């Protein structure tokens, strides 16, 4: 069973077509990068995935649940780290996690177990009593990842998670998330506009003007298209005269 299936997804803001017949799937334990220039439709896709917007055409399945037919079950399989942090800066690391566990309706015992496990997994155990305000950007992101994984989702979605981090923290975060895929079998959908956050054996989807213009493993795409990732990306996302999805 795939961790994520996006099937024939289209979405329009009034007359403005933002996504056109987008389909792809993501296998369990895969790190997938979603790339696209500004206006490509990434935010729209994420808004549909997280159910900020209702689906118009097509469907999204997370695990074996359809977002259209069983939205609650589908969303339970999804952990999200949004671009804008929503942590409470004046609560401690642990308090932020416990608050989220309460929102998920976890029992006291489950909360203790899950908070402990995620603090350890994100190497945050020693910082559990620090206020989030005192943490650097990279550690704050780890708290958000811990929070997104508390309910043990199958798929972790990170929307431009490395924005605002210095280069070393950016790399460390990217490596850390990759280790979650390798060690825990979690699937990751990582949206970015930075090509250096993508590796040869990643799954890659490139969106351009609302259409999926490439999907597959990075090294296979490069081999098929020639050049390097930068030139493949530039070729596939060249602006057209209309600037809009057909
Ligand atoms: P990205 O996140 O890749 O920059 P978006 O999903 O934000 O792309 O945008 C896709 C297209 O939809 C663009 O043409 C954009 O102008 C348009 N769009 C996005 N949000 C809205 C909105 N709220 N109303 C109208 N058009 C929108």
């Amino acid at each position: 069973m795939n961790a994520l299936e996006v099937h024939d997804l289209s979405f329009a803001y009034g007359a403005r077509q933002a996504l056109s017949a987008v389909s792809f799937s993501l296998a369990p334990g895969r790190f997938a990068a979603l790339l696209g220039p500004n206006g490509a439709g990434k935010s729209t896709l994420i808004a549909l995935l997280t159910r900020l917007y209702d689906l118009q055409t097509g469907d999204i399945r997370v695990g074996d649940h359809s977002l259209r037919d069983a939205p609650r079950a589908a969303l339970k399989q999804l952990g999200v780290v949004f671009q804008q942090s929503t942590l409470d800066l004046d609560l401690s690391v642990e308090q932020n996690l416990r608050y989220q566990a309460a929102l998920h309706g976890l029992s006291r015992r489950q909360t203790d177990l899950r908070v402990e496990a995620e603090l350890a997994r994100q190497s945050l155990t020693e910082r559990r009593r620090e206020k989030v305000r005192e943490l650097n950007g990279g550690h704050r992101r780890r708290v958000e990842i811990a929070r997104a994984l508390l309910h043990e989702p199958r798929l972790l979605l990170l929307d431009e998670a490395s924005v605002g981090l210095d280069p070393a923290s950016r790399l460390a975060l990217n490596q850390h998330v990759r280790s979650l895929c390798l060690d825990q079998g979690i699937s990751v959908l990582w949206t970015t506009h930075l090509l250096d956050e993508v590796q040869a054996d990643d799954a890659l989807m490139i969106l351009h003007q609302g259409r999926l213009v490439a999907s597959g493993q990075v090294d296979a795409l490069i081999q098929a298209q020639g050049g390097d990732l930068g030139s493949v990306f530039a070729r596939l996302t060249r602006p057209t005269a209309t600037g809009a999805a057909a």
Side-chain angles (χ1 to χ4, degrees):
M1 185 207 314
N2 284 317
L4 175 67
E5 280 180 26
V6 173
H7 182 66
D8 202 19
L9 195 67
S10 296
F11 188 89
Y13 298 94
R16 180 98 186 154
Q17 195 70 32
L19 291 174
S20 301
V22 170
S23 297
F24 65 86
S25 59
L26 181 55
R30 281 292 261 162
F31 184 100
L34 176 67
L35 282 177
N38 273 344
K42 302 180 299 294
S43 307
T44 305
L45 177 59
I46 288 164
L48 291 170
L49 252 170
T50 53
R51 247 187 146 237
L52 205 58
Y53 300 153
D54 285 335
L55 296 173
Q56 291 176 351
T57 307
D59 197 8
I60 297 174
R61 295 184 75 85
V62 191
D64 50 2
H65 301 290
S66 151
L67 208 55
R68 186 179 287 284
D69 301 336
R72 281 169 67 96
L75 288 175
K76 264 185 118 165
Q77 300 293 333
L78 180 68
V80 187
V81 175
F82 288 103
Q83 199 170 340
Q84 298 292 335
S85 170
T86 52
L87 295 171
D88 188 322
L89 298 181
D90 292 316
L91 293 183
S92 70
V93 170
E94 183 170 349
Q95 284 169 328
N96 268 281
L97 297 185
R98 288 189 174 276
Y99 178 64
Q100 182 75 10
L103 291 182
H104 281 300
L106 298 188
S107 69
R108 181 82 188 231
R109 187 175 144 65
Q110 273 178 313
T111 299
D112 289 346
L113 287 173
R114 293 297 305 132
V115 167
E116 217 55 57
E118 285 308 324
L119 286 171
R121 180 150 77 167
Q122 313 300 334
S123 308
L124 286 169
T125 306
E126 286 175 7
R127 296 178 173 266
R128 64 195 304 159
R129 295 194 211 298
E130 289 181 33
K131 281 189 180 168
V132 169
R133 192 180 290 289
E134 290 156 15
L135 303 182
N136 66 27
H139 281 115
R140 287 185 192 186
R141 278 308 199 193
R142 285 189 184 217
V143 179
E144 291 189 273
I145 293 170
R147 191 177 60 169
L149 294 178
L150 272 180
H151 62 296
E152 300 184 273
R154 183 186 295 270
L155 174 68
L156 178 62
L157 168 65
L158 298 110
D159 185 14
E160 303 259 356
S162 62
V163 163
L165 298 182
D166 61 70
S169 309
R170 199 158 70 73
L171 186 67
L173 183 74
N174 188 269
Q175 291 305 333
H176 176 66
V177 171
R178 287 170 185 285
S179 72
L180 294 174
C181 287
L182 276 177
D183 304 343
Q184 322 278 335
I186 295 168
S187 301
V188 169
L189 186 60
W190 173 279
T191 80
T192 186
H193 60 280
L194 300 167
L195 300 184
D196 66 349
E197 293 181 350
V198 181
Q199 293 183 1
D201 59 350
D202 291 344
L204 175 67
M205 281 79 70
I206 301 179
L207 272 181
H208 178 45
Q209 295 178 350
R211 294 186 181 280
L212 194 67
V213 291
S215 116
Q217 188 157 307
V218 173
D219 46 11
L221 279 175
I222 289 175
Q223 205 170 18
Q225 302 263 347
D228 58 14
L229 182 57
S231 59
V232 169
F233 182 73
R235 211 176 307 138
L236 292 174
T237 61
R238 211 171 278 149
T240 61
T242 61

